[in-house]
Amino acid sequence: LTNTTLANWFDRRLGLASGGMQLGMALAVALVPAGAVSLIATVGWRNAYLLMAAFFAVVLLPFLWLVYREHPEAVGQLPDGERAPADSNATSESRPPFASHRQWSLDEASQTRAFWILLSATGAWALIGTGLVFHMEGLFVNRGLSTATAAWAPMFLAAGMASMQLFGGLLADRIAVRYLVIAAMTGVSASCAVAAMAQGSMLMAAFAIYGCAQGLMTVLAGTAWARFFGRLHLGKIRGTALTAAIASSSAGPLAMGVSVDYLGGFAPALWFFALLAATLAIAGVWTRPPGE
């Protein structure tokens, strides 16, 4: 029984495609924070960290080694939109009209307008998301709500993520990337605006809206780069996008903290986030495949 056979079995039986992975991420957002808090309360934070490390080493890493593959062809799959094997006489009709035939290098991709719009959207999404999540409890307490109420916010965020990842995957197969960028950034902007104005439990709506926008952004991350620039250099291109996201994510919580300490509350930072996302939603109009 080879590893490839196991990977094929899991792919067929459990449907471990990108949609399942994204739904798993949404489930983790909903359950892991509460589970970690409960574990810490039961065994203490040191033992909780040791137990989680043991789980990763004993369960997760062997599972990944057995079933994870880097290329669709390794488990008898083809990239979305292809109707014939890669070595056959496939015609242009075998690919969706928005898929890239050319394999762009990172240097070539970085000279296109689409690359910078997608990169900026990725960075802004990470910046805003970490700001909202890291200061989640503070936002609720600031609006007169308890920390127990704040614990429900990840559930609303995860529900929005899961629903939009399912629906967004269908949309990604049918409409152009630019419309997904516009919709995702509009959702992020709306969530920040609601968070800036909401009172009481209506603050939950902001996290539900952000969850929907985040679900759509994860669909974009899995489709737009490959469709625009091909798969040959996708590691370098997406690695650059991930670097931008990580770098930006460090600024989001800082901006929220500065807003509270020097500007009188979270609202100034939230309105800035809303304006930033709205600007990128407008820029999404020009997110077209290179060469169009």
Side-chain angles (χ1 to χ4, degrees):
L1 187 63
T2 65
N3 290 351
T4 300
T5 302
L6 284 171
N8 274 306
W9 188 90
F10 277 105
D11 183 74
R12 290 194 303 268
R13 304 299 185 204
L14 302 181
L16 293 179
S18 60
M21 181 180 68
Q22 300 299 344
L23 288 176
M25 184 186 300
L27 186 64
V29 169
L31 299 180
V32 169
V37 170
S38 176
L39 188 62
I40 290 171
T42 303
V43 301
W45 70 268
R46 293 181 185 275
N47 289 329
Y49 272 110
L50 289 173
L51 287 173
M52 286 188 283
F55 172 79
F56 294 144
V58 176
V59 178
L60 189 59
L61 288 178
F63 181 77
L64 289 173
W65 181 78
L66 287 171
V67 304
Y68 182 76
R69 294 295 176 272
E70 294 185 358
H71 304 287
E73 295 84 355
V75 289
Q77 300 277 323
L78 295 174
D80 290 348
E82 290 193 2
R83 297 291 182 265
D87 58 354
S88 71
N89 295 322
T91 64
S92 59
E93 286 76 21
S94 66
R95 296 173 181 267
F98 37 72
S100 174
H101 290 268
R102 178 179 170 183
Q103 305 299 310
W104 297 70
S105 68
L106 175 59
D107 288 341
E108 292 170 334
S110 65
Q111 297 175 33
T112 67
R113 179 172 53 196
F115 175 87
W116 291 104
I117 295 175
L118 289 172
L119 192 72
S120 299
T122 301
W125 161 46
L127 182 151
I128 294 168
T130 53
L132 289 174
V133 172
F134 280 41
H135 288 276
M136 185 182 293
E137 183 176 328
L139 270 169
F140 279 84
V141 172
N142 182 260
R143 304 297 165 83
L145 299 171
S146 66
T147 56
T149 302
W152 284 94
M155 300 287 188
F156 282 81
L157 192 153
M161 280 179 63
S163 60
M164 190 50 67
Q165 281 162 349
L166 284 173
F167 185 56
L170 296 174
L171 291 178
D173 288 336
R174 291 166 174 79
I175 67 174
V177 166
R178 62 181 175 276
Y179 299 122
L180 300 180
V181 174
I182 294 169
M185 286 293 101
T186 299
V188 172
S189 179
S191 70
C192 294
V194 171
M197 297 184 295
Q199 297 296 324
S201 58
M202 280 300 296
L203 191 57
M204 291 291 185
F207 287 92
I209 296 169
Y210 180 79
C212 291
Q214 176 160 314
L216 198 52
M217 280 300 299
T218 58
V219 171
L220 266 172
T223 57
W225 298 106
R227 286 180 176 174
F228 277 19
F229 305 112
R231 290 197 297 149
L232 184 61
H233 303 286
L234 188 58
K236 289 183 178 180
I237 293 172
R238 289 201 63 181
T240 301
L242 181 60
T243 300
I246 293 173
S248 300
S249 66
S250 64
L254 177 62
M256 295 278 279
V258 169
S259 181
V260 171
D261 290 342
Y262 297 100
L263 301 177
F266 290 110
L270 291 169
W271 283 118
F272 170 74
F273 290 166
L275 178 61
L276 175 63
T279 301
L280 288 167
I282 295 171
V285 174
W286 290 277
T287 313
R288 300 174 182 271
E292 274 196 6

PDB file of all heavy atoms in Angstrom, residues 19 22-23 26-27 155-171 208-216 218-219:
ATOM      1  N   GLY A  19     -11.721  22.874  -1.397  1.00  0.00           N
ATOM      2  CA  GLY A  19     -12.923  23.308  -0.698  1.00  0.00           C
ATOM      3  C   GLY A  19     -13.018  22.694   0.684  1.00  0.00           C
ATOM      4  O   GLY A  19     -13.370  23.357   1.662  1.00  0.00           O
ATOM      5  N   GLN A  22     -10.596  24.427   3.034  1.00  0.00           N
ATOM      6  CA  GLN A  22     -11.055  25.733   3.485  1.00  0.00           C
ATOM      7  C   GLN A  22     -12.177  25.600   4.507  1.00  0.00           C
ATOM      8  O   GLN A  22     -12.258  26.379   5.456  1.00  0.00           O
ATOM      9  CB  GLN A  22     -11.524  26.569   2.284  1.00  0.00           C
ATOM     10  CG  GLN A  22     -10.451  26.827   1.250  1.00  0.00           C
ATOM     11  CD  GLN A  22      -9.265  27.586   1.795  1.00  0.00           C
ATOM     12  OE1 GLN A  22      -9.330  28.184   2.861  1.00  0.00           O
ATOM     13  NE2 GLN A  22      -8.157  27.573   1.082  1.00  0.00           N
ATOM     14  N   LEU A  23     -13.061  24.615   4.328  1.00  0.00           N
ATOM     15  CA  LEU A  23     -14.099  24.388   5.315  1.00  0.00           C
ATOM     16  C   LEU A  23     -13.487  23.937   6.644  1.00  0.00           C
ATOM     17  O   LEU A  23     -13.952  24.302   7.722  1.00  0.00           O
ATOM     18  CB  LEU A  23     -15.093  23.343   4.815  1.00  0.00           C
ATOM     19  CG  LEU A  23     -16.025  23.798   3.689  1.00  0.00           C
ATOM     20  CD1 LEU A  23     -16.888  22.643   3.223  1.00  0.00           C
ATOM     21  CD2 LEU A  23     -16.899  24.955   4.155  1.00  0.00           C
ATOM     22  N   ALA A  26     -12.346  26.969   8.431  1.00  0.00           N
ATOM     23  CA  ALA A  26     -13.463  27.656   9.083  1.00  0.00           C
ATOM     24  C   ALA A  26     -13.866  26.943  10.366  1.00  0.00           C
ATOM     25  O   ALA A  26     -14.146  27.572  11.395  1.00  0.00           O
ATOM     26  CB  ALA A  26     -14.651  27.744   8.129  1.00  0.00           C
ATOM     27  N   LEU A  27     -13.899  25.610  10.332  1.00  0.00           N
ATOM     28  CA  LEU A  27     -14.237  24.840  11.520  1.00  0.00           C
ATOM     29  C   LEU A  27     -13.207  25.063  12.622  1.00  0.00           C
ATOM     30  O   LEU A  27     -13.542  25.171  13.809  1.00  0.00           O
ATOM     31  CB  LEU A  27     -14.330  23.356  11.156  1.00  0.00           C
ATOM     32  CG  LEU A  27     -14.818  22.413  12.257  1.00  0.00           C
ATOM     33  CD1 LEU A  27     -16.249  22.746  12.636  1.00  0.00           C
ATOM     34  CD2 LEU A  27     -14.712  20.960  11.793  1.00  0.00           C
ATOM     35  N   MET A 155     -17.399  32.164  16.279  1.00  0.00           N
ATOM     36  CA  MET A 155     -18.414  31.305  15.682  1.00  0.00           C
ATOM     37  C   MET A 155     -19.078  31.999  14.500  1.00  0.00           C
ATOM     38  O   MET A 155     -19.280  31.396  13.435  1.00  0.00           O
ATOM     39  CB  MET A 155     -19.475  30.924  16.721  1.00  0.00           C
ATOM     40  CG  MET A 155     -18.938  30.190  17.919  1.00  0.00           C
ATOM     41  SD  MET A 155     -18.468  28.499  17.531  1.00  0.00           S
ATOM     42  CE  MET A 155     -18.116  27.869  19.176  1.00  0.00           C
ATOM     43  N   PHE A 156     -19.428  33.276  14.675  1.00  0.00           N
ATOM     44  CA  PHE A 156     -20.047  34.028  13.591  1.00  0.00           C
ATOM     45  C   PHE A 156     -19.070  34.216  12.433  1.00  0.00           C
ATOM     46  O   PHE A 156     -19.448  34.112  11.264  1.00  0.00           O
ATOM     47  CB  PHE A 156     -20.520  35.392  14.111  1.00  0.00           C
ATOM     48  CG  PHE A 156     -21.801  35.334  14.881  1.00  0.00           C
ATOM     49  CD1 PHE A 156     -21.811  34.960  16.215  1.00  0.00           C
ATOM     50  CD2 PHE A 156     -23.006  35.632  14.276  1.00  0.00           C
ATOM     51  CE1 PHE A 156     -22.987  34.893  16.932  1.00  0.00           C
ATOM     52  CE2 PHE A 156     -24.201  35.573  14.982  1.00  0.00           C
ATOM     53  CZ  PHE A 156     -24.193  35.201  16.320  1.00  0.00           C
ATOM     54  N   LEU A 157     -17.801  34.494  12.771  1.00  0.00           N
ATOM     55  CA  LEU A 157     -16.782  34.652  11.740  1.00  0.00           C
ATOM     56  C   LEU A 157     -16.616  33.350  10.947  1.00  0.00           C
ATOM     57  O   LEU A 157     -16.564  33.355   9.714  1.00  0.00           O
ATOM     58  CB  LEU A 157     -15.468  35.075  12.392  1.00  0.00           C
ATOM     59  CG  LEU A 157     -14.346  35.558  11.476  1.00  0.00           C
ATOM     60  CD1 LEU A 157     -13.433  36.517  12.238  1.00  0.00           C
ATOM     61  CD2 LEU A 157     -13.502  34.409  10.954  1.00  0.00           C
ATOM     62  N   ALA A 158     -16.550  32.230  11.665  1.00  0.00           N
ATOM     63  CA  ALA A 158     -16.362  30.939  11.009  1.00  0.00           C
ATOM     64  C   ALA A 158     -17.564  30.560  10.140  1.00  0.00           C
ATOM     65  O   ALA A 158     -17.400  29.990   9.054  1.00  0.00           O
ATOM     66  CB  ALA A 158     -16.102  29.856  12.049  1.00  0.00           C
ATOM     67  N   ALA A 159     -18.772  30.869  10.610  1.00  0.00           N
ATOM     68  CA  ALA A 159     -19.965  30.566   9.818  1.00  0.00           C
ATOM     69  C   ALA A 159     -19.957  31.353   8.512  1.00  0.00           C
ATOM     70  O   ALA A 159     -20.299  30.822   7.446  1.00  0.00           O
ATOM     71  CB  ALA A 159     -21.220  30.893  10.631  1.00  0.00           C
ATOM     72  N   GLY A 160     -19.561  32.620   8.587  1.00  0.00           N
ATOM     73  CA  GLY A 160     -19.455  33.418   7.368  1.00  0.00           C
ATOM     74  C   GLY A 160     -18.398  32.876   6.429  1.00  0.00           C
ATOM     75  O   GLY A 160     -18.599  32.791   5.210  1.00  0.00           O
ATOM     76  N   MET A 161     -17.247  32.480   6.976  1.00  0.00           N
ATOM     77  CA  MET A 161     -16.179  31.899   6.160  1.00  0.00           C
ATOM     78  C   MET A 161     -16.653  30.649   5.435  1.00  0.00           C
ATOM     79  O   MET A 161     -16.472  30.495   4.220  1.00  0.00           O
ATOM     80  CB  MET A 161     -14.984  31.540   7.044  1.00  0.00           C
ATOM     81  CG  MET A 161     -14.072  32.661   7.427  1.00  0.00           C
ATOM     82  SD  MET A 161     -12.727  32.082   8.503  1.00  0.00           S
ATOM     83  CE  MET A 161     -11.894  30.938   7.398  1.00  0.00           C
ATOM     84  N   ALA A 162     -17.261  29.726   6.179  1.00  0.00           N
ATOM     85  CA  ALA A 162     -17.657  28.445   5.602  1.00  0.00           C
ATOM     86  C   ALA A 162     -18.687  28.615   4.494  1.00  0.00           C
ATOM     87  O   ALA A 162     -18.579  28.004   3.425  1.00  0.00           O
ATOM     88  CB  ALA A 162     -18.207  27.532   6.702  1.00  0.00           C
ATOM     89  N   SER A 163     -19.679  29.463   4.734  1.00  0.00           N
ATOM     90  CA  SER A 163     -20.729  29.639   3.732  1.00  0.00           C
ATOM     91  C   SER A 163     -20.175  30.263   2.456  1.00  0.00           C
ATOM     92  O   SER A 163     -20.505  29.836   1.341  1.00  0.00           O
ATOM     93  CB  SER A 163     -21.859  30.501   4.303  1.00  0.00           C
ATOM     94  OG  SER A 163     -21.379  31.785   4.671  1.00  0.00           O
ATOM     95  N   MET A 164     -19.307  31.250   2.596  1.00  0.00           N
ATOM     96  CA  MET A 164     -18.793  31.919   1.411  1.00  0.00           C
ATOM     97  C   MET A 164     -17.728  31.098   0.701  1.00  0.00           C
ATOM     98  O   MET A 164     -17.546  31.232  -0.515  1.00  0.00           O
ATOM     99  CB  MET A 164     -18.240  33.300   1.784  1.00  0.00           C
ATOM    100  CG  MET A 164     -17.913  34.169   0.579  1.00  0.00           C
ATOM    101  SD  MET A 164     -19.277  34.269  -0.641  1.00  0.00           S
ATOM    102  CE  MET A 164     -20.511  35.164   0.305  1.00  0.00           C
ATOM    103  N   GLN A 165     -17.031  30.234   1.410  1.00  0.00           N
ATOM    104  CA  GLN A 165     -16.068  29.362   0.738  1.00  0.00           C
ATOM    105  C   GLN A 165     -16.785  28.377  -0.178  1.00  0.00           C
ATOM    106  O   GLN A 165     -16.310  28.081  -1.272  1.00  0.00           O
ATOM    107  CB  GLN A 165     -15.214  28.633   1.781  1.00  0.00           C
ATOM    108  CG  GLN A 165     -14.118  29.514   2.346  1.00  0.00           C
ATOM    109  CD  GLN A 165     -13.556  28.994   3.652  1.00  0.00           C
ATOM    110  OE1 GLN A 165     -14.100  28.074   4.254  1.00  0.00           O
ATOM    111  NE2 GLN A 165     -12.472  29.589   4.110  1.00  0.00           N
ATOM    112  N   LEU A 166     -17.919  27.874   0.253  1.00  0.00           N
ATOM    113  CA  LEU A 166     -18.707  26.986  -0.609  1.00  0.00           C
ATOM    114  C   LEU A 166     -19.272  27.751  -1.798  1.00  0.00           C
ATOM    115  O   LEU A 166     -19.118  27.350  -2.956  1.00  0.00           O
ATOM    116  CB  LEU A 166     -19.841  26.352   0.195  1.00  0.00           C
ATOM    117  CG  LEU A 166     -19.467  25.221   1.144  1.00  0.00           C
ATOM    118  CD1 LEU A 166     -20.681  24.822   1.976  1.00  0.00           C
ATOM    119  CD2 LEU A 166     -18.937  24.023   0.366  1.00  0.00           C
ATOM    120  N   PHE A 167     -19.930  28.854  -1.523  1.00  0.00           N
ATOM    121  CA  PHE A 167     -20.547  29.645  -2.586  1.00  0.00           C
ATOM    122  C   PHE A 167     -19.498  30.313  -3.457  1.00  0.00           C
ATOM    123  O   PHE A 167     -19.625  30.375  -4.685  1.00  0.00           O
ATOM    124  CB  PHE A 167     -21.463  30.697  -1.946  1.00  0.00           C
ATOM    125  CG  PHE A 167     -22.243  31.509  -2.941  1.00  0.00           C
ATOM    126  CD1 PHE A 167     -23.065  30.904  -3.873  1.00  0.00           C
ATOM    127  CD2 PHE A 167     -22.152  32.890  -2.937  1.00  0.00           C
ATOM    128  CE1 PHE A 167     -23.782  31.658  -4.789  1.00  0.00           C
ATOM    129  CE2 PHE A 167     -22.864  33.652  -3.840  1.00  0.00           C
ATOM    130  CZ  PHE A 167     -23.686  33.031  -4.772  1.00  0.00           C
ATOM    131  N   GLY A 168     -18.416  30.801  -2.826  1.00  0.00           N
ATOM    132  CA  GLY A 168     -17.365  31.479  -3.577  1.00  0.00           C
ATOM    133  C   GLY A 168     -16.643  30.549  -4.527  1.00  0.00           C
ATOM    134  O   GLY A 168     -16.202  30.966  -5.604  1.00  0.00           O
ATOM    135  N   GLY A 169     -16.502  29.267  -4.144  1.00  0.00           N
ATOM    136  CA  GLY A 169     -15.889  28.312  -5.053  1.00  0.00           C
ATOM    137  C   GLY A 169     -16.689  28.144  -6.333  1.00  0.00           C
ATOM    138  O   GLY A 169     -16.118  28.014  -7.424  1.00  0.00           O
ATOM    139  N   LEU A 170     -18.012  28.146  -6.210  1.00  0.00           N
ATOM    140  CA  LEU A 170     -18.871  28.076  -7.398  1.00  0.00           C
ATOM    141  C   LEU A 170     -18.717  29.341  -8.248  1.00  0.00           C
ATOM    142  O   LEU A 170     -18.648  29.276  -9.478  1.00  0.00           O
ATOM    143  CB  LEU A 170     -20.334  27.900  -6.981  1.00  0.00           C
ATOM    144  CG  LEU A 170     -20.675  26.597  -6.245  1.00  0.00           C
ATOM    145  CD1 LEU A 170     -22.122  26.631  -5.764  1.00  0.00           C
ATOM    146  CD2 LEU A 170     -20.452  25.393  -7.152  1.00  0.00           C
ATOM    147  N   LEU A 171     -18.661  30.492  -7.575  1.00  0.00           N
ATOM    148  CA  LEU A 171     -18.511  31.749  -8.310  1.00  0.00           C
ATOM    149  C   LEU A 171     -17.178  31.815  -9.048  1.00  0.00           C
ATOM    150  O   LEU A 171     -17.102  32.308 -10.178  1.00  0.00           O
ATOM    151  CB  LEU A 171     -18.614  32.933  -7.346  1.00  0.00           C
ATOM    152  CG  LEU A 171     -19.978  33.219  -6.719  1.00  0.00           C
ATOM    153  CD1 LEU A 171     -19.876  34.387  -5.753  1.00  0.00           C
ATOM    154  CD2 LEU A 171     -21.021  33.508  -7.794  1.00  0.00           C
ATOM    155  N   ALA A 208     -19.442  38.519  11.330  1.00  0.00           N
ATOM    156  CA  ALA A 208     -20.068  37.644  10.337  1.00  0.00           C
ATOM    157  C   ALA A 208     -19.786  38.139   8.920  1.00  0.00           C
ATOM    158  O   ALA A 208     -19.460  37.348   8.019  1.00  0.00           O
ATOM    159  CB  ALA A 208     -21.570  37.562  10.584  1.00  0.00           C
ATOM    160  N   ILE A 209     -19.885  39.458   8.719  1.00  0.00           N
ATOM    161  CA  ILE A 209     -19.604  40.030   7.406  1.00  0.00           C
ATOM    162  C   ILE A 209     -18.141  39.841   7.043  1.00  0.00           C
ATOM    163  O   ILE A 209     -17.805  39.465   5.911  1.00  0.00           O
ATOM    164  CB  ILE A 209     -19.980  41.531   7.377  1.00  0.00           C
ATOM    165  CG1 ILE A 209     -21.479  41.710   7.572  1.00  0.00           C
ATOM    166  CG2 ILE A 209     -19.543  42.168   6.052  1.00  0.00           C
ATOM    167  CD1 ILE A 209     -21.901  43.154   7.809  1.00  0.00           C
ATOM    168  N   TYR A 210     -17.260  40.090   8.030  1.00  0.00           N
ATOM    169  CA  TYR A 210     -15.835  39.879   7.744  1.00  0.00           C
ATOM    170  C   TYR A 210     -15.555  38.411   7.423  1.00  0.00           C
ATOM    171  O   TYR A 210     -14.726  38.108   6.557  1.00  0.00           O
ATOM    172  CB  TYR A 210     -14.964  40.327   8.917  1.00  0.00           C
ATOM    173  CG  TYR A 210     -13.501  40.098   8.616  1.00  0.00           C
ATOM    174  CD1 TYR A 210     -12.800  40.983   7.812  1.00  0.00           C
ATOM    175  CD2 TYR A 210     -12.840  38.962   9.070  1.00  0.00           C
ATOM    176  CE1 TYR A 210     -11.473  40.755   7.483  1.00  0.00           C
ATOM    177  CE2 TYR A 210     -11.513  38.727   8.742  1.00  0.00           C
ATOM    178  CZ  TYR A 210     -10.843  39.627   7.950  1.00  0.00           C
ATOM    179  OH  TYR A 210      -9.540  39.388   7.603  1.00  0.00           O
ATOM    180  N   GLY A 211     -16.228  37.508   8.105  1.00  0.00           N
ATOM    181  CA  GLY A 211     -16.055  36.091   7.814  1.00  0.00           C
ATOM    182  C   GLY A 211     -16.410  35.761   6.372  1.00  0.00           C
ATOM    183  O   GLY A 211     -15.696  34.999   5.702  1.00  0.00           O
ATOM    184  N   CYS A 212     -17.502  36.324   5.878  1.00  0.00           N
ATOM    185  CA  CYS A 212     -17.878  36.119   4.469  1.00  0.00           C
ATOM    186  C   CYS A 212     -16.801  36.652   3.536  1.00  0.00           C
ATOM    187  O   CYS A 212     -16.422  35.987   2.560  1.00  0.00           O
ATOM    188  CB  CYS A 212     -19.218  36.810   4.179  1.00  0.00           C
ATOM    189  SG  CYS A 212     -20.640  36.055   4.983  1.00  0.00           S
ATOM    190  N   ALA A 213     -16.313  37.850   3.831  1.00  0.00           N
ATOM    191  CA  ALA A 213     -15.263  38.441   2.991  1.00  0.00           C
ATOM    192  C   ALA A 213     -13.986  37.618   3.047  1.00  0.00           C
ATOM    193  O   ALA A 213     -13.327  37.412   2.021  1.00  0.00           O
ATOM    194  CB  ALA A 213     -14.991  39.876   3.434  1.00  0.00           C
ATOM    195  N   GLN A 214     -13.644  37.110   4.231  1.00  0.00           N
ATOM    196  CA  GLN A 214     -12.442  36.296   4.354  1.00  0.00           C
ATOM    197  C   GLN A 214     -12.591  34.984   3.592  1.00  0.00           C
ATOM    198  O   GLN A 214     -11.645  34.508   2.959  1.00  0.00           O
ATOM    199  CB  GLN A 214     -12.149  36.009   5.825  1.00  0.00           C
ATOM    200  CG  GLN A 214     -10.954  35.076   6.016  1.00  0.00           C
ATOM    201  CD  GLN A 214     -10.357  35.162   7.398  1.00  0.00           C
ATOM    202  OE1 GLN A 214     -10.134  36.265   7.917  1.00  0.00           O
ATOM    203  NE2 GLN A 214     -10.087  34.026   8.008  1.00  0.00           N
ATOM    204  N   GLY A 215     -13.795  34.396   3.635  1.00  0.00           N
ATOM    205  CA  GLY A 215     -14.031  33.181   2.864  1.00  0.00           C
ATOM    206  C   GLY A 215     -13.824  33.408   1.384  1.00  0.00           C
ATOM    207  O   GLY A 215     -13.226  32.569   0.687  1.00  0.00           O
ATOM    208  N   LEU A 216     -14.292  34.548   0.895  1.00  0.00           N
ATOM    209  CA  LEU A 216     -14.113  34.867  -0.516  1.00  0.00           C
ATOM    210  C   LEU A 216     -12.648  35.140  -0.843  1.00  0.00           C
ATOM    211  O   LEU A 216     -12.156  34.760  -1.919  1.00  0.00           O
ATOM    212  CB  LEU A 216     -14.967  36.086  -0.871  1.00  0.00           C
ATOM    213  CG  LEU A 216     -15.258  36.338  -2.357  1.00  0.00           C
ATOM    214  CD1 LEU A 216     -15.824  35.087  -3.023  1.00  0.00           C
ATOM    215  CD2 LEU A 216     -16.215  37.509  -2.513  1.00  0.00           C
ATOM    216  N   THR A 218     -10.051  33.733   0.603  1.00  0.00           N
ATOM    217  CA  THR A 218      -9.332  32.458   0.537  1.00  0.00           C
ATOM    218  C   THR A 218      -9.583  31.756  -0.783  1.00  0.00           C
ATOM    219  O   THR A 218      -8.693  31.082  -1.318  1.00  0.00           O
ATOM    220  CB  THR A 218      -9.721  31.538   1.705  1.00  0.00           C
ATOM    221  OG1 THR A 218     -11.129  31.311   1.690  1.00  0.00           O
ATOM    222  CG2 THR A 218      -9.311  32.135   3.035  1.00  0.00           C
ATOM    223  N   VAL A 219     -10.781  31.911  -1.333  1.00  0.00           N
ATOM    224  CA  VAL A 219     -11.058  31.370  -2.666  1.00  0.00           C
ATOM    225  C   VAL A 219     -10.198  32.080  -3.706  1.00  0.00           C
ATOM    226  O   VAL A 219      -9.620  31.456  -4.597  1.00  0.00           O
ATOM    227  CB  VAL A 219     -12.556  31.517  -3.003  1.00  0.00           C
ATOM    228  CG1 VAL A 219     -12.821  31.166  -4.468  1.00  0.00           C
ATOM    229  CG2 VAL A 219     -13.395  30.617  -2.103  1.00  0.00           C
TER     230      VAL A 219
END
